Amino acid sequence: MHAPELADVVAAADPDALADWLHHRALPADRSHALARLPRAALRALAGFAATDDTVELLDSVDDELAARLLRAAVPADSVRLVDALDSDRGADLLRELDEDTRGRILTGLPAERAAALRALLSWPVDSAAAHMVPETLTVSPGATAAEAIDTVRTRASDLRTDARTGAYIFIVESDGRLAGVVGFRDLVLAAPATPVATLMDTQVRTVAALDDAEDAARALDAYDLVAVPVVDERGRLLGIVTEDDAADIAAEEATEDAERQGGSAPLEVPYLRASPLLLWRKRIVWLLLLFAAEAYTGTVLRHFADEMEAVVALAFFIPLLIGTGGNTGTQITTTLVRAMATGQVRLRDVPAVLVKELSTGAMIALTMALAAVIRAWTLGVGPEITVTVALTVVAIVLWSALISSVLPPLLKKIRVDPALVSGPMISTIVDGTGLIIYFMIAHATLSQLQGL
Amino acid sequence: MHAPELADVVAAADPDALADWLHHRALPADRSHALARLPRAALRALAGFAATDDTVELLDSVDDELAARLLRAAVPADSVRLVDALDSDRGADLLRELDEDTRGRILTGLPAERAAALRALLSWPVDSAAAHMVPETLTVSPGATAAEAIDTVRTRASDLRTDARTGAYIFIVESDGRLAGVVGFRDLVLAAPATPVATLMDTQVRTVAALDDAEDAARALDAYDLVAVPVVDERGRLLGIVTEDDAADIAAEEATEDAERQGGSAPLEVPYLRASPLLLWRKRIVWLLLLFAAEAYTGTVLRHFADEMEAVVALAFFIPLLIGTGGNTGTQITTTLVRAMATGQVRLRDVPAVLVKELSTGAMIALTMALAAVIRAWTLGVGPEITVTVALTVVAIVLWSALISSVLPPLLKKIRVDPALVSGPMISTIVDGTGLIIYFMIAHATLSQLQGL
């Protein structure tokens, strides 16, 4: 049977057809694709007739901006109902995408307790661990027994948004809110009912601070191999948890932003397919113009050496090859290094080791490429003097590029700028101008025709 | 109190000191750093005196290659004991790193059932979902009640390597091994004891096939928001599960490999800090030489246009600027596009939309950059004719680069090659040579001095 189109499902206003459609379109990309093409009126209708669970599943599987569009299109009662049904962290994410009026209207429509929880989440800085947490946690006091703890969980589970992640750990919290320990739900169930939770709990709890970077929380989850990591305030009081699925999203988003920066463009912040040409232009043109301005310097260098090029026009033949090789060598290093720094493999104290490694590698690469340059110069038939100039320049440019590329990312990190800013295009641009100066200086020293200039 | 050094802990042969050290060095990077510097004899000693749990924690938090080094250094009895204590999927990963002899010796030393499970894992292709699965799952028959299911879990939990992820789902399996449904551990516990699991279970189970790419399994976990996804054979029989932590590792590894490819180098496959200069040289030199060979073509182009450059040496001033701008424009596009394809946001059927988007954006960028080029040519004082040539060339090169960069990644995908191969350096190289041809063709058409040539 062929699966129906989303537009047809909406036109028929059939809740069951939507459930069926969701089952057939399991991948987020398919769902986003279909949802993005619905006009506003259809989005409004969809929010009205569909079962809350199905709409929530749909909202959960598409990106924030697209989900927010559905909330914006819905009649107020529907958007309130949907936000109420979402996980708190997801709800807060979507409210952040809305204009202040719409957000205020939805918050006012929600039950007071729920609105307060969402307002609290919205008050945290958007990149903080606390902004990404689920505030609803399963907690018991240190005096409880395993049986009592299970009962608490059982009673609270109906009004608590729990799943395999938020329900994996039960936190033991003192009367003042401080986190005392954690016990796995399985351990609780498998223990003898009368066992005090205090004897079951692990008191060495790994936590993250509320204002820590969300990325640090994601890394902590990965490093400690946890399903959820508790977020605490400065007094050690439990505020919520960051779960593994959020950590995966945070890590994926970070990797995407880094990739975009590495390509010499500002992060898009919306999914590529829904970025308009105007947005793409804005995100790209700043770096292009900066790089153009920096690269423009090469014109000044070349004009300065115009006499040399007129005397030995063959020198010009090698310009793209030499600066291209320098740029390639540097790009290889920065992309590897920036990624190693993003994943926490390389830290500032490793910089000496990185330099030794890169300069040794650079020396080997320089010699290999010099050999290739000799072969190329020979096939172009430019004579032994220019061949020597080109070979020496390759060695110098490769080493120079290796030095710049291994030093710049840690340097940015040191001054608390994201090392991912050091893009391939940036390295190429730096190496282009300086590489040309190196080239003509070496030419001056080695070419007899240039001795008088 | 200052935390001790790992070398001192090993010298003292104190198991408690190791536990303490692990607590103080929670981050994998710190542990790897220390472990990597231990000589073979110290590794052997460490595997001998330390508590199995602590050594397993250490092995779990460092990368495969480093963990395998410890197994290789240990006396046979220790390495067998350690592999026996590891999760099966982790154990298989480490055995893969060992030479055939060591691997065979360890497998022979293990209990028969355990060895068989590991051999089964090792038999799957290394990039398949099945190679990354945990084969031990919690299963019950469809006839069981909730109470019986919990009892089964309780009994099996002692001899089963379970944690919050492997224990999150209980699978309902028919007598012939086929997967009938799944029930969450929490739902099981919170249900009335006499409820048949068949009424609790969800029969719409998302599964992955054993031979699916591991990356597909990771994406499925993310897309369906699961803690673990079951792996089934071609008859629908349950073989094991891929858990969320493995999925995070698979996704992170993929992002690293893509970043390295995008930088114009082959993936390192070992952590950067432990890659030797010789390895780095090998991974980088192939692409450098290929790009050099491709770029060498620019020399031929320039020699072909040597007369033009001698007649109007100012043409040479703009060479790095023009080809640099073309390379930058293309690099911005490919990095964004390759990442969007890697995360599944852009698929082959989206290619027409991508082309429209990129050519519209390219047109806007071309006009902006042409304006910048006019300003630059004016400041270099090269006269109106060359200014026009440069401005027209910028427009042509930017559009040409946008076309190449938006077409190449999908084209590779179409012929089933990883689009991440289209690196910034590759685009720059392609645009350098072709851009120069465009430049001199436009110069010929616009410059009166070149009419006779």
Side-chain angles (χ1 to χ4, degrees), chain A residues 111-407:
Chain A
E113 202 184 333
R114 182 102 175 106
L118 287 170
R119 278 185 214 278
L121 278 179
L122 288 169
S123 71
W124 295 103
V126 64
D127 288 331
S128 67
H132 289 80
M133 71 188 178
V134 185
E136 296 89 359
T137 51
L138 296 169
T139 59
V140 296
S141 70
T145 64
E148 285 165 354
I150 294 172
D151 257 1
T152 312
V153 174
R154 197 191 301 266
T155 330
R156 293 196 52 198
S158 58
D159 66 281
L160 188 66
R161 291 141 224 284
T162 48
D163 66 1
R165 292 178 201 91
T166 46
Y169 302 126
I170 289 53
F171 295 99
I172 292 88
V173 170
E174 307 280 359
S175 53
D176 60 359
R178 276 187 308 109
L179 180 61
V182 63
V183 59
F185 182 68
R186 281 178 50 82
D187 295 336
L188 211 54
V189 171
L190 301 180
T195 322
V197 289
T199 65
L200 290 171
M201 74 182 178
D202 182 356
T203 55
Q204 305 274 16
V205 193
R206 306 281 184 194
T207 60
V208 295
L211 288 173
D212 279 356
D213 266 7
E215 288 160 15
D216 290 336
R219 264 195 286 271
L221 266 166
D222 185 41
Y224 309 142
D225 217 10
L226 300 168
V227 168
V229 66
V231 180
V232 295
D233 67 11
E234 66 283 358
R235 293 198 198 162
R237 288 178 298 203
L238 181 66
L239 299 174
I241 51 175
V242 174
T243 55
E244 203 169 12
D245 53 335
D246 292 321
D249 290 345
I250 294 168
E253 207 168 293
E254 191 195 1
T256 299
E257 285 190 7
D258 277 4
E260 286 164 349
R261 286 209 185 87
Q262 288 277 287
S265 129
L268 281 184
E269 286 158 8
V270 300
Y272 172 77
L273 275 188
R274 272 205 316 297
S276 69
L278 189 67
L279 178 71
L280 288 174
W281 176 83
R282 274 203 293 125
K283 296 292 184 182
R284 291 173 180 173
I285 199 71
V286 179
W287 271 110
L288 280 181
L289 286 174
L290 277 175
L291 294 169
F292 186 90
E295 183 87 36
Y297 177 62
T298 56
T300 314
V301 173
L302 289 173
R303 190 178 55 180
H304 182 78
F305 292 112
D307 293 343
E308 283 80 351
M309 275 193 289
E310 283 197 73
V312 190
V313 75
L315 280 177
F317 302 167
F318 296 94
I319 289 175
L321 186 59
L322 290 171
I323 63 183
T325 299
N328 293 345
T329 315
T331 303
Q332 288 186 330
I333 296 172
T334 49
T335 43
T336 307
L337 189 54
V338 165
R339 178 70 191 159
M341 291 176 77
T343 54
Q345 280 180 40
V346 168
R347 279 151 318 158
L348 281 179
R349 68 160 191 232
D350 300 318
V351 169
V354 168
L355 270 178
V356 169
K357 188 191 296 286
E358 287 303 345
L359 291 180
S360 320
T361 310
M364 290 160 60
I365 287 177
L367 293 177
T368 321
M369 297 311 292
L371 193 68
V374 167
I375 294 170
R376 177 56 184 148
W378 179 72
T379 58
L380 264 176
V382 291
E385 278 198 319
I386 294 185
T387 302
V388 170
T389 305
V390 169
L392 288 177
T393 306
V394 162
V395 171
I397 284 186
V398 166
L399 288 175
W400 169 238
S401 180
L403 183 68
I404 296 276
S405 318
S406 0
V407 164

Side-chain angles (χ1 to χ4, degrees), chain B residues 355-438:
Chain B
L355 270 177
V356 169
K357 188 191 297 283
E358 287 302 346
L359 291 180
S360 319
T361 310
M364 290 161 60
I365 286 177
L367 293 178
T368 321
M369 297 311 292
L371 193 68
V374 166
I375 295 171
R376 177 55 185 150
W378 180 71
T379 58
L380 265 176
V382 291
E385 278 198 319
I386 294 186
T387 302
V388 169
T389 306
V390 169
L392 289 177
T393 306
V394 163
V395 172
I397 283 187
V398 165
L399 288 175
W400 169 236
S401 180
L403 183 68
I404 296 276
S405 317
S406 358
V407 164
L408 265 190
L411 205 69
L412 285 203
K413 177 95 179 177
K414 180 89 189 170
I415 59 170
R416 301 180 150 271
V417 175
D418 188 341
L421 271 185
V422 185
S423 58
M426 187 202 274
I427 289 292
S428 298
T429 302
I430 295 174
V431 172
D432 281 0
T434 48
L436 286 172
I437 297 176
I438 292 173

Side-chain angles (χ1 to χ4, degrees), chain B residues 101-124:
Chain B
D101 281 0
T102 318
R103 183 165 58 231
R105 209 166 48 232
I106 293 178
L107 284 168
T108 314
L110 286 169
E113 203 184 332
R114 181 102 176 107
L118 287 171
R119 279 186 213 278
L121 277 180
L122 288 168
S123 70
W124 295 101

